[in-house]
Amino acid sequence: MAQVTVMIDGKAYRMACEAGQEAHLTDLASQFDQYVGHLKSQFGEIGDLRLTVMAGIMITDEMSELSRKIESLEEQVASLQKNHDGMAQSK
């Protein structure tokens, strides 16, 4: 198991990950740090735990929205495929 040190809000966190996933984990931590930094710039020093929870909720909200978009796109693809199949059978 590999280990990396990531920085979140200026603090170092040592984390374990699968070998070969170090850069990916570092990138994820960097993205999360951006959320925390954004919230900190908006709300100031409101506590590490609260900032972390708020950042987690923001990310979860974005994931939820992306899931809805994916579901909608999958429905559109299925509809187009059905129409395509129907047209192909008509010929």
Side-chain angles (χ1 to χ4, degrees):
M1 181 129 313
Q3 291 194 354
V4 295
T5 300
V6 298
M7 298 295 289
I8 307 287
D9 194 29
K11 296 170 190 71
Y13 296 91
R14 189 136 179 92
M15 306 187 83
C17 63
E18 292 184 22
Q21 294 297 310
E22 298 90 347
H24 181 62
L25 178 56
T26 301
D27 289 343
L28 291 173
S30 177
Q31 290 174 27
F32 187 77
D33 184 50
Q34 290 176 7
Y35 282 91
V36 172
H38 172 73
L39 289 168
K40 194 171 186 178
S41 71
Q42 285 188 328
F43 299 106
E45 294 292 336
I46 59 172
D48 292 346
L49 182 58
R50 190 168 180 193
L51 281 172
T52 302
V53 169
M54 290 172 69
I57 289 171
M58 284 177 65
I59 292 168
T60 303
D61 180 50
E62 285 185 18
M63 287 177 48
S64 177
E65 180 62 28
L66 290 172
S67 291
R68 282 190 294 273
K69 286 180 181 179
I70 289 169
E71 185 177 325
S72 174
L73 289 170
E74 286 174 339
E75 289 171 2
Q76 290 176 32
V77 167
S79 177
L80 290 170
Q81 185 65 48
K82 183 179 176 183
N83 290 340
H84 177 268
D85 292 346
M87 291 177 72
Q89 289 178 357
S90 304
K91 291 183 179 181

